[in-house]
Amino acid sequence: MELKYLKTFQTIMEEGSFSKAAKKLNYTQSTITFQIGQLEQELSTNLFEKIGRRMLPTKAGEQLYPYVKDVLLSVERMCCFENDLAEFKGNLKLGVGETLLCYHMPSFLKTFHQQAPNTKLFLQSMNCYDIRDELLKGTLDLGIFYEDVGGVGDHIATLPIGKYSLTLVASPETKQLFSDFITPNQKIPVPFIINEQKCIFRQIFERYLSQKSIMLDYTIELWSIHTIKSLVKSNVGISFLPTFTVQKELNNGELVEIETDISDLQISAVCGYNKNKWISPAMDYFIKMIKKHFSF
């Protein structure tokens, strides 16, 4: 039985469709279909069935899934215990919130790569809610994210990385026009430039606006923190961001702070992992480096 067939089966179950699995594994759709066909032939049972337009797991497929996870996990463990454990061989799947990835993790990741060069680091910039959910599903080994996501559950262990303030920022010109974000019951005709709807600091600021009954003009939704800052500096609108992401611009006067009633609010960043997931040598070393690097 080919291990790659088992890996394909596991990926389909985790991604929820053949097409998503093909994209993640960089296979064609026909390759995915062929491999599952071979696996079904070896097991003499159907693992998926077509319902409407979707291919869904059969009862046999659902029952097989935990066994396949165990097999592939055992293979991963064996790969890590080759000759010299100090080499930290294996893969490490890491999800990181964008602002943390851009501003806090580069030097750490460089050091980790230098000290564990044989570890293949699969790194994704992700939304914090998605990181939590992927940790719970076991598809990520580690997550670096803001823990203000409505709880992480009993299965995720977290290590504190830091507490960070948030700042409402604008260009000096924009602040001259719209400086009052404290007086309630007003309409301020300026756009709000921010990440997508599940962005932690966007949610915090939108709750504040709602509590104050303050209405803004409209929202410009972007994925790049650097693009957001560029538009704010160009007088397009305002944004609400972790202070460390705009500290340089605040210092040189390209951006200025607008006071709010939540100016003293802080959010907490953590490194999280699933307690039920096997901790490989590389994962263990990463956690130890996190503890040392962030000094707690």
Side-chain angles (χ1 to χ4, degrees):
M1 185 177 293
E2 293 276 357
L3 285 175
K4 63 182 178 182
Y5 298 168
L6 298 181
K7 180 62 178 177
T8 295
F9 171 77
Q10 180 189 41
T11 306
I12 293 170
M13 294 295 287
E14 291 175 350
E15 294 297 314
S17 73
F18 279 46
S19 59
K20 289 181 180 179
K23 183 177 181 180
K24 184 167 186 176
L25 295 172
N26 199 26
Y27 287 158
T28 63
Q29 184 88 17
S30 59
T31 299
I32 293 284
T33 302
F34 171 78
Q35 291 185 0
I36 293 302
Q38 292 295 108
L39 185 58
E40 289 178 329
Q41 186 175 336
E42 290 189 51
L43 296 173
S44 300
T45 187
N46 292 327
L47 299 175
F48 296 94
E49 58 185 344
K50 191 169 185 178
I51 299 178
R53 296 185 178 182
R54 298 186 61 195
M55 293 294 288
L56 299 176
T58 62
K59 184 77 171 178
E62 292 175 349
Q63 292 175 337
L64 179 67
Y65 178 54
Y67 294 104
V68 169
K69 286 182 67 177
D70 288 344
V71 169
L72 293 176
L73 179 58
S74 296
V75 171
E76 181 184 351
R77 289 176 177 177
M78 286 190 292
C79 290
C80 288
F81 286 96
E82 293 180 1
N83 300 325
D84 187 1
L85 280 179
E87 293 185 4
F88 301 110
K89 294 181 178 178
N91 301 329
L92 200 57
K93 299 174 185 176
L94 179 65
V96 188
E98 186 203 4
T99 52
L100 294 166
L101 180 59
C102 289
Y103 293 91
H104 278 319
M105 296 304 294
S107 62
F108 174 86
L109 293 172
K110 178 182 178 181
T111 302
F112 178 80
H113 177 68
Q114 290 172 340
Q115 298 186 17
N118 294 312
T119 296
K120 294 181 181 178
L121 190 62
F122 293 87
L123 182 64
Q124 290 179 274
S125 174
M126 300 174 63
N127 174 273
C128 294
Y129 288 94
D130 294 336
I131 292 173
R132 178 199 61 187
D133 295 343
E134 294 299 313
L135 288 173
L136 287 171
K137 289 183 352 187
T139 51
L140 283 179
D141 295 317
L142 292 158
I144 309 292
F145 62 107
Y146 300 112
E147 66 175 346
D148 306 66
V149 288
V152 296
D154 296 331
H155 296 298
I156 296 179
T158 58
L159 309 170
I161 287 179
K163 290 182 178 293
Y164 305 107
S165 61
L166 297 158
T167 303
L168 180 62
V169 292
S171 67
E173 295 84 353
T174 300
K175 182 177 179 179
Q176 285 184 342
L177 296 173
F178 312 108
S179 60
D180 181 8
F181 277 78
I182 294 178
T183 303
N185 301 307
Q186 58 173 322
K187 187 178 189 311
I188 305 175
V190 64
F192 181 35
I193 309 172
I194 199 64
N195 292 106
E196 41 85 32
Q197 290 184 358
K198 292 199 297 182
C199 167
I200 296 293
F201 18 100
R202 172 176 176 170
Q203 293 179 342
I204 291 172
F205 190 63
E206 287 180 338
R207 283 198 298 268
Y208 171 77
L209 293 176
S210 177
Q211 290 164 1
K212 285 280 188 178
S213 297
I214 295 175
M215 294 181 60
L216 301 186
D217 204 0
Y218 55 91
T219 298
I220 299 174
E221 188 174 291
L222 299 169
W223 284 89
S224 166
I225 193 73
H226 296 294
T227 305
I228 291 170
K229 292 199 298 180
S230 178
L231 291 183
V232 175
K233 286 188 288 185
S234 299
N235 308 320
V236 175
I238 60 165
S239 193
F240 188 68
L241 298 167
T243 307
F244 64 79
T245 67
V246 291
Q247 193 62 64
K248 178 182 176 181
E249 290 81 4
L250 290 171
N251 290 342
N252 63 28
E254 290 182 290
L255 294 176
V256 291
E257 178 181 4
I258 297 178
E259 290 294 326
T260 70
D261 282 341
I262 52 172
S263 294
D264 59 348
L265 182 69
Q266 292 187 320
I267 55 176
S268 301
V270 296
C271 173
Y273 60 92
N274 193 314
K275 297 176 184 177
N276 298 323
K277 191 176 181 67
W278 174 63
I279 298 179
S280 68
M283 185 174 165
D284 182 61
Y285 186 63
F286 190 99
I287 292 171
K288 288 177 180 176
M289 281 188 61
I290 284 283
K291 291 179 179 179
K292 182 179 179 181
H293 185 84
F294 292 97
S295 301
F296 61 88

